[in-house]
Amino acid sequence: MLTSILAAAVILALLIIVHETGHFLMAKRVGVRVIRFAIGYPPIVWGVRRGETEYAIGATPFGGYVRMLGEEVGEEPRCEELENYIRELALDVVGVARENQVTLPAEPDAAIVALARMLRDTNEVRLLKAVGQSGVEENAAPGDSPSAGPAFRIIGRGLKPDEAVVIKAVAEGGSVKEVATALAANPPAALMESFQARAFPTQSLARRFAIVLAGPLFNILFAPILMTIVFLWGVPTLEPVVGKVSEKMPAYAAGLRPGDRIVAVNGQATDTWAAFSSAVKRGNGSVVHVEIDRQDGGAVTHLSTFISPKLQEEPTIYGTKAATWIIGVMPRGDQRIERYGPVGAVGHALESTVTMTGTLVFGIWEIVRGATPMRQALGGPIMIAQMAGQEAHQGLAAVLMFTVMLSLELGIINLLPVPLLDGGHLFFFACEGIRGEPLKLRHREIALQLGLFLLVALMAFVIFNDISRIVQG
């Protein structure tokens, strides 16, 4: 049980990191400020600030998020958002100062006040009323570069316009909280311009669309990368050795027996059970010429026979039944490890990913249209843990293949137009593009509340479903 829990936790954490990294990198690429990159949900149990972003781990597992500046649904930034942004700007300067070997108190607010007073005492902010976009301090001599001012000598660079506003206010007195409250109530132009340039809601529609799309897209693109590793490492492959032959079925009537090795079908050499099965099914009922090797004592006898497949309903991976051409044999279970070179691994990875994606999309559609029972098709965290444990006992290749499947599922499901999922936000953006303006705030709030209700109900259903499976055996 412990192995199952650990395997599930590691796999889900990896996929969450991949997903949130997509949002994070795209946000950084287009200039949006990322305040926090978190694995797990609050309360935060560990965090470290690097640059303008805090990297954190939350106490609530099985989730994660990238918090961007101004992500709230509101039309205009709230005072709380501006207060947090003001504090973030001050912490940016503190971070740069520490990188420049400036000794400051460990407590963040105390460090901000100490640095502001240090800059004030060096005449950096005493006369500072505004700072140009170049970062040149107003009290620097004409023609000086940003490196000529006192700020450069202390923190290693000149103050940016928005940073100068905050540092000047802190240096003139009051606590960081008081300064943030006062500036947020009546924000200077430099501060508002900075906020609007870096906030998510104020970006162009194309940029917002790209940021949201990047998360599920990274999960989907991660799949062929893992698949390539699987094919390089080695894939367990079923050999075409007959294990069970059903009586009163075509294969038995044609003379196939347990232990027979299929070597060719319709004149084509066959070295895997999958290739043999595919050749039978795609014949659409036509007679199949099968060549086999049969061991008789120490000798091997080569035999040839013709089999007419029978159309019969068989269970599918979607929980339904479909008419399939079969001959009535099952594999014995002999396996070999098949490895590929770099080029072959990439090619097989892309092909397998496309096939798996098509299968998953079709499976989701079957659930949506009601062809596949939800109780049979859906599983929650308990089922994931059970499956992860089973795969962990089968080796690295099995674990990676399971991770590939989950990564594709996470990417595809997140693209569904359900509020709170990435696909829901993309749907809002599509509506905005068609209408020429965003949906009304009230409509978005209602949609998000509905999405939250649906996701909570779905989570409760799949957990109950998992427990029912365990109870029923």
Side-chain angles (χ1 to χ4, degrees), residues 42-293:
I44 301 300
V45 297
W46 178 86
V48 60
R49 186 185 176 95
R50 292 288 182 268
E52 60 184 29
T53 303
E54 178 190 13
Y55 300 88
I57 296 177
T60 308
F62 304 122
Y65 61 96
V66 167
R67 182 185 168 201
M68 289 172 274
L69 182 64
E71 273 193 300
E72 281 72 12
V73 174
E75 306 287 354
E76 296 294 335
R78 296 181 290 109
C79 284
E80 288 180 16
E81 286 183 288
L82 287 173
E83 288 176 15
N84 290 334
Y85 181 54
I86 289 163
R87 189 170 183 275
E88 289 288 324
L89 290 174
L91 289 174
D92 287 349
V93 183
V94 168
V96 173
R98 284 184 170 138
E99 289 177 2
N100 206 40
Q101 307 304 314
V102 177
T103 302
L104 295 170
E107 199 278 321
D109 284 6
I112 293 170
V113 173
L115 179 60
R117 290 173 178 171
M118 190 182 301
L119 291 170
R120 177 197 62 191
D121 293 343
T122 59
N123 210 33
E124 169 63 17
V125 296
R126 182 172 60 84
L127 300 175
L128 192 58
K129 294 180 181 178
V131 180
Q133 292 296 327
S134 65
V136 178
E137 295 88 3
E138 194 179 84
N139 56 339
D144 280 349
S145 68
S147 62
F152 184 88
R153 292 190 291 274
I154 294 176
I155 67 172
R157 66 166 173 80
L159 291 173
K160 299 174 184 177
D162 48 1
E163 295 170 343
V165 168
V166 176
I167 294 299
K168 178 178 183 292
V170 174
E172 289 177 344
S175 67
V176 175
K177 182 174 178 55
E178 290 172 346
V179 168
T181 301
L183 288 176
N186 188 23
L191 192 62
M192 284 304 297
E193 288 173 7
S194 169
F195 183 91
Q196 291 171 351
R198 302 297 307 280
F200 175 80
T202 56
Q203 302 301 310
S204 68
L205 181 60
R207 287 184 173 185
R208 283 179 282 141
F209 197 96
I211 291 170
V212 174
L213 180 62
L217 191 60
F218 261 51
N219 279 124
I220 293 172
L221 294 178
F222 185 58
I225 295 175
L226 274 186
M227 287 289 286
T228 300
I229 296 174
V230 171
F231 284 116
L232 287 170
W233 179 268
V235 185
T237 304
L238 270 179
E239 295 194 358
V241 180
V242 177
K244 179 181 178 181
V245 184
S246 300
E247 295 185 14
K248 300 182 181 178
M249 292 296 287
Y252 188 87
L256 262 65
R257 296 293 182 266
D260 290 346
R261 175 180 289 273
I262 313 298
V263 295
V265 179
N266 294 330
Q268 298 292 321
T270 301
D271 61 354
T272 68
W273 186 269
F276 165 56
S277 177
S278 176
V280 172
K281 287 179 170 59
R282 68 169 178 261
N284 292 322
S286 59
V287 176
V288 181
H289 179 207
V290 178
E291 297 177 55
I292 63 174
D293 282 344

Side-chain angles (χ1 to χ4, degrees), residues 1-12 62 381-382 384-386 388-389:
M1 186 61 182
L2 180 60
T3 301
S4 298
I5 295 174
L6 289 176
V10 171
I11 291 172
L12 290 175
F62 304 122
I382 298 175
I384 291 174
Q386 289 177 327

